Amino acid sequence: MRRTIGVTAAVTIAAGILVTAPAAVSAPSEAVSAQTTNTSLLDVHKKSRKCDKPKNKGFNISWKDGVSSTTFYFNNHRKETNRVRVWYASAGMKCKAITVKPGTKGSKKLHRIYYHNLMEVDFGKCPYWP
């Protein structure tokens, strides 16, 4: 008998929460739209660079914007060394390069570069700023 009363009480409470929850959630529509844009920022990004020799091979990178760091995954099918430039904001605009040797597959974690301050990811060396 106790179990049926406990289950009945739990179902009644759950039904009450479901009935009142949509009214509370539907009021602040700005909070819902901000939440959907934050999840779109945390998507997986991919870039690739094609090469002529060997044919149909390339240099591929992917990353997901993290909360406190970002991990870059790479796969270099090319016969030369490639670099990934990561532009981020930290008391100004800064650049950090990841060097990948030929035929290498792996990952590199960059601490303190996350979705909020990550500006751009492209290929090449970082410029020298005096």
Side-chain angles (χ1 to χ4, degrees):
M1 190 69 174
R2 283 189 208 166
R3 183 176 174 103
T4 9
I5 294 172
V7 172
T8 308
V11 171
T12 307
I13 291 171
I17 291 172
L18 290 176
V19 171
T20 59
V25 172
S26 62
S29 61
E30 296 169 1
V32 174
S33 63
Q35 183 182 11
T36 56
T37 56
N38 287 340
T39 56
S40 65
L41 290 175
L42 301 176
D43 290 340
V44 175
H45 307 281
K46 296 179 182 181
K47 282 195 175 190
S48 63
R49 188 179 206 183
K50 301 282 183 190
C51 63
D52 297 329
K53 291 183 182 179
K55 196 167 187 168
N56 296 328
K57 298 291 183 179
F59 175 55
N60 306 312
I61 60 170
S62 64
W63 69 96
K64 184 175 180 179
D65 302 328
V67 178
S68 64
S69 65
T70 301
T71 303
F72 291 87
Y73 299 93
F74 49 82
N75 193 355
N76 189 3
H77 297 285
R78 301 178 81 179
K79 292 186 176 181
E80 63 244 3
T81 301
N82 284 285
R83 290 178 180 85
V84 179
R85 278 191 302 206
V86 180
W87 296 94
Y88 64 99
S90 176
M93 190 167 149
K94 294 188 179 180
C95 179
K96 189 166 266 199
I98 301 170
T99 304
V100 182
K101 294 182 180 180
T104 305
K105 179 180 181 178
S107 64
K108 175 75 175 177
K109 187 173 194 173
L110 298 179
H111 297 281
R112 293 187 213 118
I113 298 175
Y114 49 96
Y115 74 95
H116 186 65
N117 68 350
L118 182 64
M119 298 170 72
E120 184 180 347
V121 176
D122 58 357
F123 301 104
K125 291 181 179 181
C126 286
Y128 174 72
W129 291 332

